mmCIF file of all heavy atoms in Angstrom:
data_model
loop_
_atom_site.group_PDB
_atom_site.id
_atom_site.type_symbol
_atom_site.label_atom_id
_atom_site.label_comp_id
_atom_site.label_asym_id
_atom_site.label_seq_id
_atom_site.Cartn_x
_atom_site.Cartn_y
_atom_site.Cartn_z
ATOM 1 N N ARG S 30 142.058 100.020 151.010
ATOM 2 C CA ARG S 30 141.094 99.125 151.470
ATOM 3 C C ARG S 30 141.799 98.130 152.436
ATOM 4 O O ARG S 30 142.900 97.826 152.358
ATOM 5 C CB ARG S 30 140.344 98.354 150.371
ATOM 6 C CG ARG S 30 139.536 99.193 149.548
ATOM 7 C CD ARG S 30 138.947 98.145 148.536
ATOM 8 N NE ARG S 30 137.711 98.821 147.827
ATOM 9 C CZ ARG S 30 136.451 98.629 148.327
ATOM 10 N NH1 ARG S 30 136.279 97.880 149.317
ATOM 11 N NH2 ARG S 30 135.539 99.153 147.695
ATOM 12 N N HIS S 31 140.972 97.508 153.430
ATOM 13 C CA HIS S 31 141.600 96.519 154.246
ATOM 14 C C HIS S 31 141.598 95.271 153.491
ATOM 15 O O HIS S 31 142.543 94.634 153.537
ATOM 16 C CB HIS S 31 140.708 96.372 155.510
ATOM 17 C CG HIS S 31 140.760 97.551 156.461
ATOM 18 N ND1 HIS S 31 141.890 97.987 157.099
ATOM 19 C CD2 HIS S 31 139.762 98.408 156.743
ATOM 20 C CE1 HIS S 31 141.620 99.085 157.800
ATOM 21 N NE2 HIS S 31 140.398 99.343 157.557
ATOM 22 N N GLU S 32 140.592 95.076 152.627
ATOM 23 C CA GLU S 32 140.589 93.921 151.787
ATOM 24 C C GLU S 32 141.154 94.254 150.516
ATOM 25 O O GLU S 32 140.770 95.190 149.755
ATOM 26 C CB GLU S 32 139.130 93.371 151.640
ATOM 27 C CG GLU S 32 138.992 92.245 150.553
ATOM 28 C CD GLU S 32 137.675 91.934 150.178
ATOM 29 O OE1 GLU S 32 136.714 92.753 150.345
ATOM 30 O OE2 GLU S 32 137.449 90.864 149.661
ATOM 31 N N ARG S 33 142.063 93.548 149.996
ATOM 32 C CA ARG S 33 142.802 93.863 148.832
ATOM 33 C C ARG S 33 141.994 93.351 147.614
ATOM 34 O O ARG S 33 141.424 92.174 147.616
ATOM 35 C CB ARG S 33 144.235 93.142 148.714
ATOM 36 C CG ARG S 33 144.870 93.452 147.368
ATOM 37 C CD ARG S 33 146.239 92.938 147.585
ATOM 38 N NE ARG S 33 146.262 91.539 147.461
ATOM 39 C CZ ARG S 33 147.300 90.749 147.143
ATOM 40 N NH1 ARG S 33 148.443 91.232 146.961
ATOM 41 N NH2 ARG S 33 147.114 89.436 147.118
ATOM 42 N N LEU S 34 141.646 94.192 146.664
ATOM 43 C CA LEU S 34 140.946 93.793 145.432
ATOM 44 C C LEU S 34 142.039 93.732 144.295
ATOM 45 O O LEU S 34 142.831 94.636 144.177
ATOM 46 C CB LEU S 34 139.856 94.670 145.102
ATOM 47 C CG LEU S 34 138.803 94.855 146.099
ATOM 48 C CD1 LEU S 34 137.743 95.923 145.618
ATOM 49 C CD2 LEU S 34 138.062 93.419 146.295
ATOM 50 N N ILE S 35 141.842 92.847 143.375
ATOM 51 C CA ILE S 35 142.794 92.572 142.293
ATOM 52 C C ILE S 35 141.908 92.791 140.997
ATOM 53 O O ILE S 35 140.909 92.134 140.874
ATOM 54 C CB ILE S 35 143.524 91.259 142.252
ATOM 55 C CG1 ILE S 35 144.233 91.043 143.689
ATOM 56 C CG2 ILE S 35 144.392 91.146 141.016
ATOM 57 C CD1 ILE S 35 144.847 89.797 143.931
ATOM 58 N N ILE S 36 142.446 93.608 140.149
ATOM 59 C CA ILE S 36 141.838 93.792 138.792
ATOM 60 C C ILE S 36 142.757 93.026 137.856
ATOM 61 O O ILE S 36 143.929 93.392 137.753
ATOM 62 C CB ILE S 36 141.589 95.154 138.388
ATOM 63 C CG1 ILE S 36 140.585 95.797 139.431
ATOM 64 C CG2 ILE S 36 140.976 95.293 136.994
ATOM 65 C CD1 ILE S 36 140.351 97.321 139.183
ATOM 66 N N ASP S 37 142.245 92.071 137.143
ATOM 67 C CA ASP S 37 143.061 91.182 136.191
ATOM 68 C C ASP S 37 142.447 91.343 134.856
ATOM 69 O O ASP S 37 141.243 91.222 134.542
ATOM 70 C CB ASP S 37 143.010 89.806 136.729
ATOM 71 C CG ASP S 37 144.000 88.920 135.830
ATOM 72 O OD1 ASP S 37 144.977 89.313 135.355
ATOM 73 O OD2 ASP S 37 143.585 87.563 135.811
ATOM 74 N N LEU S 38 143.345 91.581 133.928
ATOM 75 C CA LEU S 38 142.960 91.720 132.568
ATOM 76 C C LEU S 38 143.815 90.680 131.707
ATOM 77 O O LEU S 38 144.983 90.701 131.772
ATOM 78 C CB LEU S 38 143.194 92.966 131.940
ATOM 79 C CG LEU S 38 142.989 93.227 130.404
ATOM 80 C CD1 LEU S 38 141.455 92.922 129.997
ATOM 81 C CD2 LEU S 38 143.420 94.582 129.962
ATOM 82 N N GLY S 39 143.107 89.797 130.945
ATOM 83 C CA GLY S 39 143.727 88.834 130.091
ATOM 84 C C GLY S 39 142.958 88.606 128.826
ATOM 85 O O GLY S 39 142.078 89.252 128.518
ATOM 86 N N TRP S 40 143.497 87.640 128.048
ATOM 87 C CA TRP S 40 142.861 87.290 126.789
ATOM 88 C C TRP S 40 142.441 85.859 126.914
ATOM 89 O O TRP S 40 143.040 84.916 127.504
ATOM 90 C CB TRP S 40 143.946 87.236 125.657
ATOM 91 C CG TRP S 40 143.280 87.221 124.298
ATOM 92 C CD1 TRP S 40 143.443 86.004 123.593
ATOM 93 C CD2 TRP S 40 142.700 88.115 123.501
ATOM 94 N NE1 TRP S 40 142.799 86.230 122.356
ATOM 95 C CE2 TRP S 40 142.385 87.472 122.291
ATOM 96 C CE3 TRP S 40 142.267 89.394 123.735
ATOM 97 C CZ2 TRP S 40 141.620 88.135 121.291
ATOM 98 C CZ3 TRP S 40 141.573 90.057 122.703
ATOM 99 C CH2 TRP S 40 141.297 89.430 121.503
ATOM 100 N N SER S 41 141.044 85.537 126.683
ATOM 101 C CA SER S 41 140.591 84.304 126.873
ATOM 102 C C SER S 41 139.821 83.797 125.626
ATOM 103 O O SER S 41 139.040 84.572 125.077
ATOM 104 C CB SER S 41 139.524 84.412 127.981
ATOM 105 O OG SER S 41 138.938 83.022 128.387
ATOM 106 N N PRO S 42 139.980 82.557 125.171
ATOM 107 C CA PRO S 42 141.084 81.560 125.641
ATOM 108 C C PRO S 42 142.371 82.135 125.285
ATOM 109 O O PRO S 42 142.569 82.771 124.113
ATOM 110 C CB PRO S 42 140.714 80.400 124.959
ATOM 111 C CG PRO S 42 139.558 80.511 124.078
ATOM 112 C CD PRO S 42 139.019 81.943 124.202
ATOM 113 N N ASP S 43 143.366 81.938 126.072
ATOM 114 C CA ASP S 43 144.706 82.337 125.889
ATOM 115 C C ASP S 43 145.296 82.007 124.525
ATOM 116 O O ASP S 43 145.208 80.815 124.053
ATOM 117 C CB ASP S 43 145.573 81.571 126.989
ATOM 118 C CG ASP S 43 146.892 82.422 127.222
ATOM 119 O OD1 ASP S 43 146.975 83.463 126.930
ATOM 120 O OD2 ASP S 43 147.773 81.729 127.619
ATOM 121 N N SER S 44 145.848 82.840 123.941
ATOM 122 C CA SER S 44 146.692 82.790 122.669
ATOM 123 C C SER S 44 145.756 82.361 121.378
ATOM 124 O O SER S 44 146.283 81.923 120.551
ATOM 125 C CB SER S 44 147.707 81.665 122.729
ATOM 126 O OG SER S 44 148.679 82.162 123.767
#
Side-chain angles (χ1 to χ4, degrees):
R30 292 180 161 268
H31 295 294
E32 176 188 21
R33 183 175 68 164
L34 298 177
I35 300 166
I36 298 176
D37 184 26
L38 174 63
W40 189 259
S41 179
D43 194 30
S44 301

